[in-house]
Amino acid sequence: MSKYEFRPTRPHPAWIETPQEQWESWTWQLQNRITKLDDFKRISQVDSQFQVDLEDIARTQTDFDFAITPYYFSLIEMANSNCPIRKQAIPSSLENKKLDFELIDFPKEESMMPVPGLTHRYPDRAMLYTTHHCAVYCRFCTRKRKVSDASTALRSQQISQAVDYIRSTKQIREVILSGGDIFSLSNDALGELLDKVRSIEHVEIIRLGTRNLVTLPFRVTDQLVSIVKQFHPIYVHTHFNHPVECSLEAQQACLKLRRAGIQVNNHTVMLKGINDKVETLRELNQRLLLMGVQPYYIYHCDLTYGTSHFRTKISDDLGILRSLREKFDWSKDSSLPHYMVDTPGGGKIELF
Ligand code: SF4
């Protein structure tokens, strides 16, 4: 029997009266997200353990909104100001610090767009950003230049233009549907888009980029799975960063996809003070495997503006990965994910 348990998430006292049916409704979760300072104020009145510096949040000068689902907020260890979930989700004025070498569009995605909203960097692969909405806005987001800003999301005419580009570009054999978060689309919109992309003869593989498995696992309904599974071969790429995120609800969401034959791969970002420890990564990897998720990539945090407080050193990351390999006898062909570094506009390089 595994030493790792997957426990149900107890709703935070602010939502303790919420009927279970509502709590497990993804639409209820979205409607009840924490999006304003007053929401934090209300929660700290209900729970004296939750201490938050409202002035610090108010000082955070960014166009990148904040939003936290009640589910993801309930994962926070309230009395711990260094809680890894808190750090990923609650804004901090440290985001105001912008270093000279940090960039607004670090991967230069915008300059590689033959049509709006579609990055075509590698000949055989294209990435389409359909929505700039996410259930939770992760404070380290690489695309915070546009994510959370609904006005920058693609209009249906632009999505058609992007699909036409893919259709007329025969070397594209893999399409990544991302955002924001692709599972932010309604079931109908997602089904329609998948139908269009799958009808293109030269597109072999479709990948879906979503963090809903982590921040809103209730989004993975039977209906959603029945839509996605019509479009095999299709892969889901998600983004667990810490073992605390591997709850029973997250496990159930991942297993639902796996039972429908949908491979789920995980990308982790190394984040200072959050997951940059051998034991943390070891437990995360083990939990992912138990959830049926393949640990796929570990990324060095991009040089995106206002994220220096999250960034580790590459040499430290490599040291952690070496220790994992030595201490736990992880060889190249086991579950040790590849360590990748994004270069400004030059794509990814594998360092480990
Ligand atoms: S889910 Fe992804 S795109 Fe959305 S805020 Fe988090 S990292 Fe950014």
Side-chain angles (χ1 to χ4, degrees):
M1 191 167 149
S2 167
K3 67 173 181 172
Y4 298 117
E5 275 183 67
F6 289 86
R7 296 200 193 95
T9 306
R10 277 170 60 102
H12 179 272
W15 298 282
I16 206 76
E17 305 284 337
T18 307
Q20 191 66 11
E21 201 182 322
Q22 280 192 351
W23 178 256
E24 291 178 6
S25 151
W26 64 276
T27 48
W28 180 90
Q29 287 278 339
L30 286 178
Q31 282 156 9
N32 287 277
R33 290 186 304 166
I34 297 160
T35 54
K36 298 184 292 294
L37 274 181
D38 276 352
D39 296 333
F40 285 126
K41 225 183 268 176
R42 183 174 49 82
I43 291 167
S44 49
Q45 280 159 4
V46 175
D47 179 1
S48 57
Q49 278 201 311
F50 177 62
Q51 298 297 324
V52 67
D53 187 344
L54 293 173
E55 280 178 22
D56 184 72
I57 298 174
R59 275 200 306 274
T60 312
Q61 294 155 353
T62 171
D63 295 333
F64 186 41
D65 291 346
F66 65 86
I68 315 171
T69 53
Y71 163 80
Y72 196 65
F73 186 85
S74 298
L75 296 178
I76 295 178
E77 196 189 335
M78 294 300 151
N80 178 5
S81 58
N82 284 317
C83 167
I85 308 299
R86 170 194 279 258
K87 284 183 165 178
Q88 291 185 72
I90 299 184
S92 149
S93 60
L94 292 170
E95 293 170 35
N96 298 343
K97 186 173 162 193
K98 292 170 187 147
L99 305 179
D100 287 349
F101 51 82
E102 291 179 331
L103 299 171
I104 289 180
D105 176 14
F106 174 75
K108 299 219 168 113
E109 291 170 336
E110 304 294 328
S111 62
M112 294 184 196
M113 286 186 182
V115 291
L118 182 122
T119 296
H120 191 189
R121 184 195 309 276
Y122 306 102
D124 63 345
R125 223 174 305 160
M127 185 183 285
L128 176 59
Y129 315 97
T130 47
T131 160
H132 292 156
H133 181 86
C134 305
V136 170
Y137 293 120
C138 318
R139 306 322 300 168
F140 51 82
C141 181
T142 292
R143 292 197 192 115
K144 62 180 177 169
R145 65 184 183 276
K146 58 185 181 184
V147 164
S148 90
D149 179 359
S151 70
T152 63
L154 288 195
R155 292 186 294 277
S156 61
Q157 195 198 355
Q158 291 171 312
I159 292 184
S160 301
Q161 203 186 352
V163 171
D164 287 345
Y165 175 85
I166 297 168
R167 189 174 288 113
S168 62
T169 312
K170 299 264 188 282
Q171 72 263 42
I172 297 177
R173 43 168 289 280
E174 189 175 319
V175 175
I176 301 144
L177 300 177
S178 187
D181 194 309
I182 190 69
F183 283 176
S184 296
L185 293 184
S186 68
N187 288 345
D188 286 350
L190 179 63
E192 222 173 277
L193 178 63
L194 285 170
D195 205 29
K196 283 185 189 153
V197 175
R198 181 43 81 217
S199 72
I200 302 172
E201 227 168 83
H202 54 268
V203 173
E204 296 169 355
I205 311 275
I206 301 175
R207 298 189 195 272
L208 305 178
T210 177
R211 204 171 186 231
N212 268 247
L213 277 63
V214 184
T215 55
L216 181 57
F218 308 120
R219 176 66 186 97
V220 184
T221 58
D222 293 343
Q223 205 192 357
L224 179 81
V225 175
S226 71
I227 291 167
V228 174
K229 74 177 188 189
Q230 293 169 46
F231 301 97
H232 280 300
I234 191 159
Y235 296 77
V236 165
H237 284 251
T238 192
H239 192 162
F240 286 89
N241 285 330
H242 194 278
V244 170
E245 295 170 337
C246 302
S247 65
L248 182 69
E249 292 83 356
Q251 183 194 39
Q252 285 169 346
C254 296
L255 290 177
K256 234 184 226 183
L257 291 164
R258 294 290 295 120
R259 287 191 192 108
I262 301 158
Q263 166 87 36
V264 184
N265 294 327
N266 188 65
H267 297 186
T268 292
V269 182
M270 286 294 264
L271 297 167
K272 189 152 73 184
I274 293 177
N275 59 9
D276 56 340
K277 293 265 179 305
V278 174
E279 283 305 331
T280 309
L281 283 185
R282 153 83 172 164
E283 182 179 342
L284 176 62
N285 250 39
Q286 288 305 108
R287 284 185 177 272
L288 289 172
L289 292 170
L290 290 169
M291 299 199 304
V293 177
Q294 177 63 42
Y296 195 73
Y297 284 150
I298 294 184
Y299 277 103
H300 179 63
C301 187
D302 282 350
L303 301 178
T304 303
Y305 68 103
T307 58
S308 58
H309 54 300
F310 286 117
R311 211 168 301 121
T312 51
K313 285 187 190 158
I314 291 178
S315 55
D316 291 346
D317 294 354
L318 289 169
I320 291 171
L321 291 164
R322 268 186 223 108
S323 298
L324 276 167
R325 186 178 281 177
E326 284 155 20
K327 205 165 163 188
F328 299 107
D329 194 24
W330 282 0
S331 62
K332 252 290 187 203
D333 60 353
S334 77
S335 65
L336 188 62
H338 300 266
Y339 177 67
M340 312 297 289
V341 177
D342 255 323
T343 57
K348 304 178 209 347
I349 47 171
E350 184 183 341
L351 289 189
F352 191 87

